[in-house]
């Protein structure tokens, strides 16, 4: 007998076996409401205090201009809605013991969440100087949005947060990532109605189509329609409520609605709605976990909450309506220091919360307020789920050497490097059934990582039909055609302590590039906070790269993400360009063991020449860069005439081929080949912790010999990275220069002037000596390029000498 988990029933008590609990939750007593109201008033008071006050925190004396901060910063409008929801969620937690984290989509309501953590005591536990007394209160106010203090958003410094809410749009994807493989957690996600206009948020409602109630937790979205954004109305705020209902229902949600500003009515109605939502979530999970679930995707509850923006704030200022409009978004009363009327309004606004009832003589929150807090780790500001490193367990990793390509000599065998990685990921899935996931926008197979499907399907909660392949509700490979969702899910997954990888086409990593930057910023700031435990790194695999997207053309040719990541702080950013499968395995193993980094790994998926045995690869990757003496004709004992350097698989092949041409045709020219795997070994150590020592840099690149550097990405990146190294202007960089189309692989490097023939000519033009025969060799290169140009047009493929190029016996002889 199977059962539907459709929990849309009015009979709350029958939904979960909770002994009258749901009814008690749904019908708060007067005492309950008094507590809710007191906690909420205290939170609102602290929010306004943070925005406005630098003295007289408890209004023990009449408010004076000198008590007001010189710069009024922060966002009031969203804050009372956020704290209203928080108060009720805490009550639910107290009654049910539910593990819950709170994600504020409109994270600009930071003061409300900071105030919540303060009232719960977690802020003081984290920052003992901000005590639960009057001096502590003053510190709380003064630190907000001030130099040396804390930011105004729900940022890294905010206990209980995994979501800053600065760049709007990601609250639901973070929430869904947090609950994957986290069965006991509910992520309560407040969605701003302005935020709901963003592309990422619009796409992220689909999270429930990938959630499995047997093994995942639940997301409770609360779409907060306060009607306005910074400077105007919101689309959903002005829509016919029925259309909003249909929008969410169309995604499969069970829509619950609460509207109003009447008190205590709103407390009663919201408590009942939250109780309903929670009971339905529990009902879904109980049926699913009882083993009797029919497998049909549940209708997960979502709440639409309509309250006025700036609720409880000044209704009108200078005759203009403020509450309920965009005018309440930031600081509703401005110029308070110089405007006695506004100062008086601020004072009466603050006093409207009756602070004397909320804080005792010492300045601590009174019992009526404190009793609303859940205990210990159940407080949302103290949840270990929001400091995920505390829960992180090291991945059980197989020995990456077991997946190695057999490379007896360089550049003889060809292999699809990412396929090896796919085999390793398959076994990581098996060994870590609850703490590792691969996130990929519909390209796992295309990226040659399909071995994972031997042990896991794709996660899919919608209808599965005969003929579907590797698709089921029990699958744990996350494929959704949204880079935003993949990226955000993995952020939520890692910030709550689990491991993963985001694999995507290189060009479309730019879709989510802003998320990469925002996540790096989060990790950069977290590195300064000793209380934030390190979390698993954010691993990005860029494959289907610019150079080999010859079949898709120019739109698919864009190596831009490297540029973004190298610009982030060295505490966080790592960029690896493994030239072959064995280097990829070594790099991936390193990245999956690492913590709190953004690791960018770039390698193509097409069959490619393999250079190093696994032992050589391990040594090469550990050094980050090294001389490939077998590829050049220099033994490292004296300075060469020219250095040919490379970073990236395709350009490595062009570099080694160029060195080969030079060795054959101008054997007296001394050529050194240097390959760089760890791009961040190039900067000075003072600019990045991976920066190689000056001694090693000189050993590899000399102090004054010209370097022809063939780079996978945009040439400017290398110039940026070698800045400050000896005679940095001797680096001549070839890379992707925005020349691309649907063409052959070799034509791509030719169009971007990074082909072996271009590199040979560059070498001759910049070598310390111009040996006899150089002019003839340059002419030969030009002729080869001309031959190529007509050959590809006539034959629609590369010249066999290029297409099938390998080192043959040369490497062993050399
Ligand atoms: C992606 C992005 N674009 C623009 C902004 C600037 N911004 C900050 S708050 C805000 C309005 C947000 O409105 P809403 O989500 O409804 O939040 P609330 O009304 O609750 O403040 C905007 C546009 C931003 N933070 N992120």
């Amino acid at each position: 007998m199977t059962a539907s988990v459709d929990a849309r029933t009015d009979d709350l008590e029958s939904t979960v076996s909770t002994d009258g609990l749901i009814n008690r939750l749904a019908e708060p007593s007067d005492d309950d409401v008094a507590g809710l109201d007191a906690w909420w008033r205290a939170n609102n008071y602290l929010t306004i205090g943070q925005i406005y006050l630098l003295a007289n925190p408890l209004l023990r004396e009449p408010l004076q201009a000198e008590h007001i901060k010189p710069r009024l910063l922060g966002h009031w409008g969203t804050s009372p809605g956020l704290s209203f929801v928080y108060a009720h969620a805490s009550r639910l937690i107290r009654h049910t013991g539910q593990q819950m984290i709170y994600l504020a989509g409109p994270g600009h309501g930071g003061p409300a969440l900071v105030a919540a953590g303060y009232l719960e005591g977690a802020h003081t536990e984290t920052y003992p100087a901000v005590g639960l007394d009057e001096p502590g209160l003053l510190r709380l106010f003064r630190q907000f949005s001030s130099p040396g203090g804390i930011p105004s958003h729900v940022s890294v410094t905010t206990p209980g947060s995994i979501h800053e809410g600065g760049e709007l749009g990601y609250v639901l994807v973070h929430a869904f990532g947090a609950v994957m493989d986290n069965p006991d957690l509910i992520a309560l996600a407040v969605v701003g109605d302005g935020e709901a206009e963003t592309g990422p948020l619009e796409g992220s409602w689909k999270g429930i189509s990938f959630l499995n109630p047997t093994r995942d937790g639940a997301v409770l979205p609360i779409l907060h329609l306060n009607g306005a954004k910074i400077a105007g109305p919101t689309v959903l705020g002005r829509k016919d409520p029925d259309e909003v209902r249909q929008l969410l229902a169309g995604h499969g949600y069970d829509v619950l609605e609460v509207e109003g500003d009447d008190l205590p009515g709103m407390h009663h109605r919201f408590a009942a709605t939250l109780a309903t939502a929670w009971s339905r979530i529990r009902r879904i999970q109980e049926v699913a976990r009882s083993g009797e679930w029919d497998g049909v995707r549940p209708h997960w509850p979502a709440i639409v909450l309509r309250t006025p923006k700036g609720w409880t704030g000044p209704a009108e200022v200078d005759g203009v309506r403020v509450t309920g409009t965009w005018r309440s978004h930031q600081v509703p009363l401005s110029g308070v220091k110089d405007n006695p009327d506004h100062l008086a309004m601020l004072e009466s606004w603050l006093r409207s919360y009756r602070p004397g009832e909320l804080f005792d003589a010492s300045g601590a929150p009174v019992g009526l307020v404190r009793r609303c807090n859940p205990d210990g780790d159940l407080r949302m500001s103290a949840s270990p789920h929001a400091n995920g490193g505390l829960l992180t367990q090291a991945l059980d990793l197989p020995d990456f050497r077991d997946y190695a390509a057999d490379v007896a000599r360089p550049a003889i065998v060809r292999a699809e490097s990412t396929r090896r990685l796919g085999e390793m990921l398959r076994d990581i899935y098996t060994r870590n059934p609850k703490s590792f996931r691969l996130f990929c926008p519909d390209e796992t197979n295309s990226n040659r990582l399909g071995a994972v499907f031997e042990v896991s399907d794709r996660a899919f909660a919608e209808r599965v039909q005969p003929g579907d392949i590797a698709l089921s509700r029990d699958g744990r490979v996350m494929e959704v055609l949204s880079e935003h969702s993949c990226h955000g899910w993995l952020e939520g997954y890692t910030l709550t302590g689990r491991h993963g990888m985001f694999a995507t086409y290189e060009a479309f990593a730019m879709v989510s590039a802003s998320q990469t930057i925002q996540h790096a910023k989060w990790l950069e700031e977290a590195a300064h906070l000793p209380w934030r435990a390190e979390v698993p790194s954010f691993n990005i695999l860029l494959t289907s790269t610019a150079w080999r997207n010859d079949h898709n053309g120019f739109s698919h040719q864009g190596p831009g993400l490297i540029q973004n990541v190298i610009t982030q702080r060295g505490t966080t950013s790592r960029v690896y360009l493994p030239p072959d499968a064995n280097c990829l395995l070594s790099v991936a193993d390193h990245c999956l063991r690492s913590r709190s980094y953004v690791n960018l790994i770039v390698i193509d998926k097409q069959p490619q020449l393999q250079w190093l045995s696994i032992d050589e690869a391990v040594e090469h990757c550990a050094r980050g860069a090294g001389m490939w003496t077998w590829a050049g004709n220099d033994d490292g004992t004296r300075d060469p005439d020219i250095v040919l350097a490379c970073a990236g698989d395709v350009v490595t092949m062009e570099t080694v081929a160029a060195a080969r041409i030079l060795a054959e045709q101008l054997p007296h020219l001394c050529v050194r080949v240097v390959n760089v795997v760890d791009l961040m070994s190039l900067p000075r150590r003072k600019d990045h912790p991976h920066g190689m020592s000056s001694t090693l840099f000189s050993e590899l690149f000399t102090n004054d010999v010209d370097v022809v550097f063939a780079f996978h990405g945009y040439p400017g990146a290398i110039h940026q990275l070698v800045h400050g190294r000896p005679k940095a202007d001797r680096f001549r960089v070839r890379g992707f220069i925005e020349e691309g189309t649907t063409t052959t692989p070799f034509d791509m490097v030719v169009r971007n002037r990074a082909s072996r023939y271009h590199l040979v000519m560059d070498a001759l033009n910049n070598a310390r000596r111009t040996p006899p025969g150089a002019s003839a060799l340059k002419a030969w290169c030009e002729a080869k390029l001309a031959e190529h140009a007509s050959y590809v047009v006539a034959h629609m493929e590369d010249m066999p000498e290029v297409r099938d190029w390998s080192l043959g016996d040369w490497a062993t002889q050399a």
Side-chain angles (χ1 to χ4, degrees):
M1 229 337 239
T2 59
S4 163
V5 289
D6 204 338
R8 291 174 294 175
T9 161
D10 289 334
D11 184 2
L12 296 181
E13 218 27 66
S14 73
T15 57
V16 272
S17 45
T18 46
D19 213 12
L21 170 63
I22 304 301
N23 286 340
R24 288 201 303 283
L25 260 181
E27 292 162 17
S29 65
D30 290 348
D31 206 34
D32 271 347
V33 171
L36 280 166
D37 187 60
W39 193 96
W40 187 42
R41 280 189 285 128
N43 189 297
N44 286 333
Y45 181 85
L46 296 180
T47 293
I48 302 158
Q50 289 175 79
I51 295 173
Y52 284 98
L53 300 184
L54 54 66
N56 191 17
L58 285 168
L59 296 187
R60 302 233 197 253
E61 51 179 298
L63 194 62
Q64 308 284 336
E66 63 261 29
H67 301 148
I68 306 298
K69 292 184 176 183
R71 298 164 72 230
L72 299 180
L73 305 166
H75 297 83
W76 159 249
T78 193
S79 295
L82 293 179
S83 52
F84 179 82
V85 170
Y86 200 105
H88 280 262
S90 287
R91 175 171 172 270
L92 179 97
I93 293 167
R94 271 198 335 277
H95 284 268
T96 61
Q98 175 66 54
Q99 293 179 43
M100 202 180 267
I101 56 172
Y102 188 109
L103 291 86
H108 42 276
L113 272 290
V114 170
Y118 181 78
L119 291 174
E120 290 187 317
H123 197 93
T124 302
E125 289 156 24
T126 312
Y127 305 106
V130 187
L132 282 166
D133 51 20
E134 189 163 345
L137 208 55
L138 193 55
R139 268 181 192 269
L140 182 81
F141 290 179
R142 294 182 67 109
Q143 71 178 6
F144 177 76
S145 272
S146 62
I150 60 166
S152 67
H153 282 74
V154 191
S155 57
V156 197
T157 54
T158 311
S161 172
I162 60 162
H163 172 83
E164 142 128 6
E167 183 168 293
L168 297 166
Y170 310 127
V171 70
L172 280 180
V173 287
H174 287 166
F176 278 108
V179 303
M180 288 172 190
D181 294 319
N182 220 344
D184 298 328
L185 182 67
I186 293 181
L188 190 150
V190 178
V191 181
D193 43 358
E195 178 183 27
E197 293 173 15
T198 65
L201 195 289
E202 183 74 43
S204 63
W205 292 110
K206 294 188 178 65
I208 52 169
S209 300
F210 300 85
L211 217 57
N212 179 328
T214 59
R215 51 126 205 253
D216 298 325
V219 172
L220 177 57
I222 299 186
L223 175 60
H224 186 204
L225 301 185
N226 61 21
K229 354 188 239 273
I230 296 181
T234 60
V235 174
L236 295 186
R238 292 284 172 92
K239 256 191 193 304
D240 183 308
D242 198 42
E243 287 186 351
V244 177
R245 223 170 283 136
Q246 287 179 41
L247 176 73
L248 299 195
H251 282 291
Y253 290 92
D254 166 12
V255 185
L256 305 169
E257 290 166 278
V258 185
E259 177 172 6
D261 63 355
D262 54 308
L263 294 166
M266 277 297 282
H267 284 303
H268 288 282
R269 296 200 295 284
F270 194 73
T273 305
L274 198 58
T276 303
W278 181 77
S279 68
R280 291 183 183 178
I281 288 171
R282 292 295 302 131
R283 156 95 183 151
I284 289 168
Q285 293 176 337
E286 277 188 10
V287 172
R289 293 170 194 180
S290 70
E292 291 171 5
W293 176 31
D294 61 8
V296 176
R297 182 193 43 70
H299 289 89
W300 295 92
I303 297 175
V304 178
L305 173 65
R306 291 185 175 81
T307 65
K309 189 153 181 163
W311 190 13
T312 72
E316 262 186 35
V317 177
D318 300 334
V320 178
R321 175 133 198 93
V322 171
T323 298
T325 79
W326 52 268
R327 290 187 182 84
S328 68
H329 181 73
Q330 287 188 352
V331 178
L333 289 164
S334 55
V336 181
K337 253 181 166 345
D338 308 318
N339 184 329
D341 290 344
H342 285 195
L343 185 68
M345 284 177 76
L346 175 61
E347 180 163 8
S348 69
W349 178 20
L350 280 162
R351 289 192 192 282
S352 73
Y353 300 107
R354 307 193 296 283
E357 288 175 14
L358 306 172
F359 301 94
D360 66 18
S362 73
V366 297
L368 177 66
V369 173
R370 283 203 319 272
R371 74 167 200 225
C372 297
N373 298 327
D375 289 334
D377 286 357
L378 284 178
R379 294 168 297 170
M380 291 185 285
S381 56
S383 171
H385 293 287
N387 190 2
L390 296 174
L391 305 173
T392 300
Q393 306 214 325
L395 270 182
D396 178 3
L397 287 170
D399 185 349
F400 64 92
R401 290 175 177 79
D402 293 347
Y403 310 89
D406 190 9
V407 182
R409 285 183 287 128
I412 305 295
V413 289
R414 284 188 158 77
E416 295 165 314
S417 300
T418 53
R419 205 174 282 286
R420 304 279 165 162
L421 177 66
E423 290 164 11
M424 179 166 141
L425 295 180
R426 172 196 62 205
D427 297 344
I428 295 175
Y429 258 103
T430 308
R431 286 165 175 252
N432 303 274
K434 295 181 179 168
S435 57
F436 177 82
R437 291 198 190 200
L438 175 65
F439 300 80
C440 186
D442 187 35
E443 303 145 3
T444 306
N445 265 331
S446 166
N447 290 331
R448 313 288 193 267
L449 302 172
V452 294
F453 296 130
E454 293 169 27
V455 297
S456 170
D457 291 335
R458 299 167 176 89
F460 201 58
E462 300 296 343
R463 187 163 38 84
V464 177
Q465 305 184 158
D468 287 339
I469 293 174
L471 192 73
S472 74
R473 67 181 193 221
D474 295 326
R476 294 177 60 257
V477 178
M478 306 311 295
E479 278 200 349
V480 59
L481 209 174
S482 162
E483 286 74 11
H484 290 125
S485 289
C486 287
H487 202 294
W489 289 347
L490 179 55
E491 286 177 53
Y493 200 66
T494 53
L495 287 173
T496 48
R498 286 77 53 69
H499 309 256
M501 181 173 279
F502 169 46
T504 181
Y505 279 21
E506 183 179 51
F508 306 134
M510 296 309 288
V511 171
S512 48
S514 196
Q515 288 173 285
T516 309
I517 293 169
Q518 293 295 333
H519 188 61
K521 285 177 186 293
W522 179 280
L523 296 175
E524 286 168 13
E525 282 305 285
H528 295 301
L529 301 173
W531 62 272
R532 282 245 176 226
E534 287 189 323
V535 292
S537 295
F538 194 90
N539 301 308
I540 307 176
L541 174 69
L542 299 189
T543 184
S544 306
T545 62
W547 300 102
R548 293 304 313 273
N549 243 305
D550 32 280
H551 62 303
N552 277 316
F554 201 31
S555 63
H556 287 53
Q557 294 160 346
L561 192 66
I562 296 174
Q563 214 82 14
N564 290 317
V565 176
I566 62 173
T567 308
Q568 303 304 121
R569 273 185 220 155
T571 43
T572 302
S573 61
R574 305 285 182 270
V575 180
Y576 300 98
L577 294 134
D580 67 4
N582 289 339
C583 290
L584 171 62
L585 292 169
S586 173
V587 163
D589 179 77
H590 174 79
C591 293
L592 289 166
R593 290 176 195 278
S594 70
R595 294 281 185 276
S596 290
Y597 296 150
V598 170
N599 293 313
L600 186 61
I601 308 172
V602 189
I603 186 167
D604 196 67
K605 64 184 183 184
Q606 302 288 351
Q608 54 186 203
L609 282 171
Q610 302 294 310
W611 308 102
L612 304 182
S613 71
I614 190 70
D615 289 337
E616 291 163 343
V618 170
E619 198 189 323
H620 185 49
C621 293
R623 289 167 62 100
M627 218 183 284
W628 283 4
T629 46
W630 50 264
N633 59 1
D634 137 86
D635 60 6
T637 54
R638 64 196 165 100
D639 277 357
D641 295 318
I642 190 79
V643 177
L644 295 186
C646 48
D649 49 5
V650 168
V651 290
T652 292
M653 180 172 70
E654 292 311 305
T655 300
V656 176
R660 177 76 184 119
I661 293 168
L662 288 164
E664 278 179 344
Q665 304 210 25
L666 289 182
H668 297 303
L669 189 77
C670 186
V671 177
R672 175 178 298 176
V673 174
V674 174
N675 180 263
V676 178
V677 179
D678 178 355
L679 201 59
M680 305 319 282
S681 67
L682 289 176
R684 296 171 297 185
R685 195 165 282 171
K686 67 177 178 183
D687 295 327
H688 195 284
H690 281 201
M692 67 178 89
S693 67
S694 310
T695 314
L696 180 58
F697 193 89
S698 299
E699 274 172 32
L700 292 180
F701 296 105
T702 79
N703 282 329
D704 49 10
V705 171
D706 279 15
V707 180
V708 174
F709 201 121
F711 179 49
H712 174 92
Y714 293 106
I718 298 298
H719 292 298
Q720 178 181 339
L721 294 171
V722 300
H723 171 78
R725 293 292 194 179
K727 296 196 177 158
D729 61 355
R730 70 197 153 104
F731 281 72
R732 324 251 167 242
V733 188
R734 297 280 173 182
F736 187 73
I737 51 171
E738 283 294 311
E739 291 295 335
T741 184
T742 312
T743 187
T744 66
F746 189 65
D747 197 45
M748 275 299 295
V749 287
V750 170
R751 283 169 179 265
N752 286 282
R753 309 183 67 74
S755 76
R756 58 198 66 184
Y757 304 122
H758 290 96
L759 299 180
V760 167
M761 290 189 286
D762 269 0
L764 296 174
N765 287 337
N766 295 290
R768 292 218 283 199
R769 295 180 299 124
T770 316
S775 301
L777 180 53
K778 277 195 256 176
W780 180 82
C781 288
E782 294 287 11
K784 278 288 168 199
L785 288 169
E787 187 185 339
H788 156 79
S790 46
Y791 188 96
V792 281
V793 173
H795 299 271
M796 301 165 106
E797 61 176 348
D798 287 324
M799 299 185 292
E801 66 190 86
V802 168
R803 194 188 59 217
D804 304 329
W805 181 85
S806 78
L807 275 184
D809 293 336
W810 183 74
T812 33
Q813 290 159 7

